[in-house]
Amino acid sequence: AALPGPAPADWAQAPLDPAVRAVLVGFDEHFSYAKLCQALRYLLRGGPDCLLVGTNRDHRLPLEGGTAIPGTGCLVKAVETAAQREAFIVGKPNRYMFDCVASEFNIDPARTIMVGDRLDTDILMGNSCGLTTLLTLTGVTTLDEVKGHQESDCPARQSLVPDYYVDSIADLLPALGD
Amino acid sequence: AGCSGGGGMASCRRLSGAALREVLGPAQGLLFDCDGVLWAGERAVPGAPELLERLRRSGKAALFVSNNSRRSVAELERRFSRLGFRGVRAEHVFSSALCSALFLRQRLLGGGNGSGGGRVFVLGGEGLRGEVRDAGLRLAGEGEAAPSAAEPVRAVLVGYDDQFTFAKLSQACGYLRDPQCLLVATDPDPWHPLSDGQRTPGTGSLTAAVETASGRKALVVGKPNTYMFDCIVERFGVDPARTLMVGDRLETDILFGKNCGLSTILTLTGVSRLEEAQAYMASDSAAAKELVPNYYVDSIADLIPGLDE
């Protein structure tokens, strides 16, 4: 519903939908202070009975040419900060999506490979879920970054290291039958 | 007796009677937060204007330090007058808007690096933008496609911005790709109370978005950081050992007082509850103990009996 008036004092008087039981934060190029206000109102009204869910925490979405736009993670952080509570994050590296796939398709982690280009989402999720992990270099990650984590003493950084890498997923073709 | 803010954990004592006179007597001045201390919304806290008048008559200074980055100090001077407070001039008021402008002036214009200053991209309302302009800085326009080489944007300033949008967030990040571009926030407040008990998101929530997108940490001007106290000392030369900090928010006002070496008084007409202060006092965490005020009152009107007739 449209918010009455131009100012937060007006927005705080807009009627709340009594049926709302969750605030879901996803990628929103129309994110605004007014929406942030409404999210906060629902979370305060519902307390623990109103879920706060974020689709993912990506900081940035890369565009061609090396630029990037803000990612969903920024919007999740804004809501978490205002509400002083932590969101349940569905996306990688959290395991919820793997659990969805695994329950629907009877997957054996020991015989499944996770293929991705991001260490802190794709590879971390794969490693956490007991999958074999394969990094492809056609995306955001360089081999130097991987080496940096590999050489570090920090266990958290070690969990970002993939089992294998390829320059591109096309490199997998020779291993498959005709 | 006295106002020393020195070591050891504060004990959150109710300030009244003889202790009140012992604490207020030697004080040369008091720093007051505004929202939740002097007024709530459009209503002065009952007795607050009289307290300021009595302080004036006792020869004690009253200065004001607010994280609210919405209004210029000129607007705040008019607000004081409208709500019944006499004799408060703009020069007595230190808002995070003013102090952020002073900070940026120092960093962008103050040094001898002769780079001509550059522009500031402000995420905030007209009050904040006005303070930045008054400090001699130039503002970047909204909706620009790319940074101008002619006069680059040298700082992004995040304040209370009720017109914040994804597009502005994206624009800010564009400027912040230049590592020379500063990221500054007026204050860290996550939310502010509305008069009906609801909350409105604060600068802190917007800053979190900008930090996450840019991978940078903001320099935060407002309480509990001490820069605003530096501004006060520069203009009025206050002695922390003879100055009291009065506020309603433990995580900003009381910690600010502690960080600046001031004795602190929590007033219960605003955000923080006595139970929260007591919980911090009972906590094992060293950081929590920094949030415990030396004293508390139900309202600043309770300070009046501590002053001479």
Side-chain angles (χ1 to χ4, degrees):
Chain A
L3 293 167
D10 306 309
W11 302 334
Q13 300 315 311
L16 290 180
D17 182 338
V20 168
R21 300 272 313 280
V23 170
L24 173 61
V25 186
F27 180 74
D28 183 2
E29 72 218 39
H30 299 294
F31 183 86
S32 66
Y33 184 89
K35 289 172 135 182
L36 179 58
C37 265
Q38 295 305 98
L40 181 58
R41 291 179 74 207
Y42 280 115
L43 292 167
L44 289 174
R45 181 189 72 173
D49 292 334
C50 182
L51 298 178
L52 172 56
V53 181
T55 57
N56 62 292
R57 282 205 186 277
D58 293 41
H59 295 177
R60 258 166 289 196
L61 300 182
L63 302 176
E64 280 180 54
T67 57
I69 53 172
T72 305
C74 311
L75 311 182
V76 173
K77 257 285 180 245
V79 178
E80 288 181 313
T81 303
Q84 295 184 301
R85 59 185 274 193
E86 214 173 296
F88 177 84
I89 302 297
V90 169
K92 303 170 287 185
N94 295 50
R95 60 174 301 139
Y96 187 79
M97 292 207 290
F98 173 72
D99 292 339
C100 290
V101 174
S103 66
E104 194 159 329
F105 290 96
N106 194 26
I107 287 180
D108 177 4
R111 300 192 58 198
T112 305
I113 302 173
M114 171 71 198
V115 184
D117 72 310
R118 281 187 76 119
L119 301 179
D120 61 350
T121 52
D122 307 320
I123 303 304
L124 180 54
M125 187 194 79
N127 286 341
S128 307
C129 296
L131 307 173
T132 300
T133 49
L134 173 63
L135 172 71
T136 174
L137 297 175
T138 46
V140 299
T141 305
T142 64
L143 215 44
D144 279 342
E145 283 175 63
V146 183
K147 291 196 170 134
H149 295 310
Q150 208 167 17
E151 285 155 17
S152 123
D153 288 327
C154 171
R157 293 184 70 184
Q158 286 293 329
S159 48
L160 301 178
V161 178
D163 295 307
Y164 303 101
Y165 76 92
V166 286
D167 292 319
S168 139
I169 58 172
D171 297 351
L172 300 174
L173 285 168
L176 301 167
D178 287 313
Chain B
C3 312
S4 168
M9 184 180 68
S11 46
C12 196
R13 291 168 51 197
R14 177 184 282 280
L15 194 57
S16 61
L20 174 58
R21 297 188 72 85
E22 280 169 21
V23 168
L24 281 194
Q28 286 174 341
L30 281 71
L31 301 188
F32 291 95
D33 176 44
C34 301
D35 300 306
V37 177
L38 305 174
W39 54 64
E42 288 302 304
R43 234 181 112 251
V45 165
E50 187 191 343
L51 170 69
L52 293 196
E53 179 57 30
R54 295 285 299 274
L55 283 171
R56 204 176 59 78
R57 279 196 261 137
S58 303
K60 297 187 192 298
L63 299 173
F64 307 93
V65 55
S66 170
N67 272 1
N68 191 321
S69 61
R70 259 180 295 180
R71 298 182 179 96
S72 66
V73 291
E75 288 172 73
L76 282 168
E77 181 183 294
R78 289 192 290 276
R79 182 173 171 78
F80 272 96
S81 174
R82 192 173 74 246
L83 294 183
F85 297 88
R86 301 273 152 260
V88 178
R89 294 194 304 279
E91 62 172 355
H92 300 139
V93 182
F94 294 82
S95 72
S96 66
L98 169 73
C99 295
S100 297
L102 294 177
F103 178 81
L104 286 171
R105 182 174 69 185
Q106 248 175 23
R107 294 290 292 261
L108 265 47
L109 301 178
N113 59 11
S115 55
R119 292 178 297 148
V120 182
F121 180 60
V122 177
L123 292 161
E126 196 43 49
L128 178 59
R129 303 165 77 79
E131 293 288 19
V132 175
R133 274 189 221 106
D134 287 351
L137 296 158
R138 289 150 65 97
L139 303 183
E142 288 176 21
E144 288 180 10
S148 156
E151 201 179 359
V153 172
R154 300 270 319 283
V156 169
L157 175 62
V158 186
Y160 175 83
D161 185 7
D162 62 23
Q163 304 301 310
F164 184 87
T165 58
F166 186 91
K168 289 163 92 173
L169 172 62
S170 198
Q171 192 177 354
C173 290
Y175 297 131
L176 290 167
R177 269 198 281 282
D178 174 3
Q180 298 303 307
C181 181
L182 298 177
L183 174 56
V184 181
T186 56
D187 68 278
D189 297 355
W191 51 266
H192 301 286
L194 297 171
S195 34
D196 62 356
Q198 294 194 91
R199 298 177 181 178
T200 196
T203 306
S205 63
L206 307 182
T207 305
V210 179
E211 287 182 324
T212 303
S214 63
R216 306 268 296 270
K217 285 299 280 174
L219 297 161
V220 180
V221 169
K223 301 171 284 183
N225 292 346
T226 57
Y227 183 77
M228 294 215 283
F229 187 67
D230 296 342
C231 296
I232 293 171
V233 168
E234 171 145 353
R235 191 181 285 177
F236 289 109
V238 304
D239 176 4
R242 305 283 301 274
T243 308
L244 302 170
M245 174 67 199
V246 185
D248 72 307
R249 199 159 196 168
L250 297 168
E251 298 80 11
T252 50
D253 303 319
I254 301 306
L255 183 54
F256 172 77
K258 175 84 179 172
N259 288 340
C260 301
L262 311 169
S263 284
T264 54
I265 303 173
L266 173 72
T267 175
L268 298 177
T269 47
V271 167
S272 295
R273 307 267 65 85
L274 182 59
E275 298 69 44
E276 293 166 45
Q278 290 165 337
Y280 283 133
M281 197 157 63
S283 161
D284 290 328
S285 137
K289 290 175 175 3
E290 301 276 284
L291 303 176
V292 179
N294 296 101
Y295 310 105
Y296 75 92
V297 289
D298 290 319
S299 134
I300 60 172
D302 297 350
L303 298 174
I304 294 172
L307 300 166
D308 296 330
E309 288 299 317

